[in-house]
Amino acid sequence: AQSVTQPDIHITVSEGASLELRCNYSYGATPYLFWYVQSPGQGLQLLLKYFSGDTLVQGIKGFEAEFKRSQSSFNLRKPSVHWSDAAEYFCADLSGAGSYQLTFGKGTKLSVIP
Amino acid sequence: GAGVSQSPSNKVTEKGKDVELRCDPISGHTALYWYRQSLGQGLEFLIYFQGNSAPDKSGLPSDRFSAERTGGSVSTLTIQRTQQEDSAVYLCASSFRTASSYEQYFGPGTRLTVT
């Protein structure tokens, strides 16, 4: 079964600092990977996705992620964090074309210090 | 355009009562999903509808849970004889189901509290 691991439960960064959130997926021939963000009391908002092609993908709100097959990773990055980025971030895997069940990591809660 | 909507946003019910949760998907999306988000289990898949095909109910945790989708649009998730362990946020999502589009768009969720 597919699995997604987010090693960091909680990360705190200062506003303006860079950010990297880690995500590892279990082996899959065709990973379809996503990052979602959830603000308190809100649903999940799609930040970006990777299906194929360029391994560096750009998303909304200034986020990007890099797919590294050799490391089974899909880490989320942002060069300069804003206070409004404080939220919980979820990495998810669709387990390849034809599948439809998203498998989520446990999430990483991001706190931003002013 | 309008996103996925869910109602109610919050529901408090007594143990043993039945509850119905509603989801209105994005217009034109043929696929609809229900997920459950709880502290202990994280985000879990519950059920999937695609067009007129039979739904995939493999994620439903017990036979107290059921869901239907009427007219290929609105969906209702029903939990009978609620238990305290059913307390969670129930999220609905919808998507196109084409070869080039797999993104699932989520609603704001319904927070269910069973007392």
Side-chain angles (χ1 to χ4, degrees):
Chain A
Q2 295 292 113
S3 67
V4 176
T5 303
Q6 294 180 247
D8 304 306
I9 296 173
H10 190 188
I11 284 182
T12 300
V13 300
S14 297
E15 191 168 16
S18 63
L19 172 70
E20 182 169 30
L21 302 182
R22 296 183 290 165
C23 172
N24 293 96
Y25 64 95
S26 62
Y27 175 78
T30 312
Y32 284 61
L33 299 166
F34 304 83
W35 275 99
Y36 285 88
V37 61
Q38 185 177 38
S39 298
Q42 303 296 313
L44 298 168
Q45 182 181 21
L46 179 66
L47 285 175
L48 46 76
K49 66 190 182 209
Y50 172 79
F51 293 161
S52 64
D54 193 348
T55 56
L56 184 64
V57 293
Q58 302 297 319
I60 62 170
K61 305 186 179 187
F63 285 93
E64 66 178 26
E66 185 170 16
F67 171 68
K68 293 185 178 180
R69 186 182 293 277
S70 62
Q71 298 177 19
S72 298
S73 70
F74 187 56
N75 294 348
L76 182 71
R77 302 195 294 244
K78 187 168 185 178
S80 177
V81 170
H82 188 263
W83 64 267
S84 61
D85 294 324
E88 190 153 20
Y89 293 79
F90 293 91
C91 183
D93 179 7
L94 198 58
S95 305
S99 180
Y100 42 79
Q101 292 185 31
L102 280 170
T103 300
F104 287 90
K106 294 294 188 185
T108 298
K109 182 177 181 180
L110 174 66
S111 297
V112 180
I113 300 173
Chain B
V4 177
S5 61
Q6 293 186 244
S7 60
S9 55
N10 282 284
K11 177 71 177 179
V12 180
T13 189
E14 293 180 353
K15 178 181 173 181
K17 301 284 189 181
D18 297 353
V19 295
E20 286 189 350
L21 312 179
R22 176 187 169 102
C23 172
D24 279 275
I26 293 172
S27 178
H29 281 189
T30 58
L32 187 146
Y33 319 75
W34 284 97
Y35 292 84
R36 180 169 71 173
Q37 184 175 26
S38 58
L39 283 175
Q41 301 299 320
L43 280 150
E44 305 171 279
F45 165 82
L46 296 178
I47 190 169
Y48 161 70
F49 295 90
Q50 169 56 16
N52 296 319
S53 302
D56 176 356
K57 306 178 182 180
S58 61
L60 295 178
S62 78
D63 58 9
R64 296 186 295 104
F65 287 71
S66 63
E68 63 176 20
R69 188 179 185 192
T70 54
S73 181
V74 172
S75 177
T76 302
L77 178 68
T78 301
I79 308 173
Q80 295 178 311
R81 306 180 302 282
T82 52
Q83 304 294 313
Q84 288 188 331
E85 61 262 29
D86 299 333
S87 295
V89 176
Y90 290 82
L91 293 164
C92 177
S94 69
S95 74
F96 291 110
R97 288 297 299 175
T98 67
S100 61
S101 177
Y102 294 93
E103 302 99 296
Q104 297 181 18
Y105 294 89
F106 285 80
T110 293
R111 180 175 298 276
L112 174 66
T113 304
V114 182
T115 61

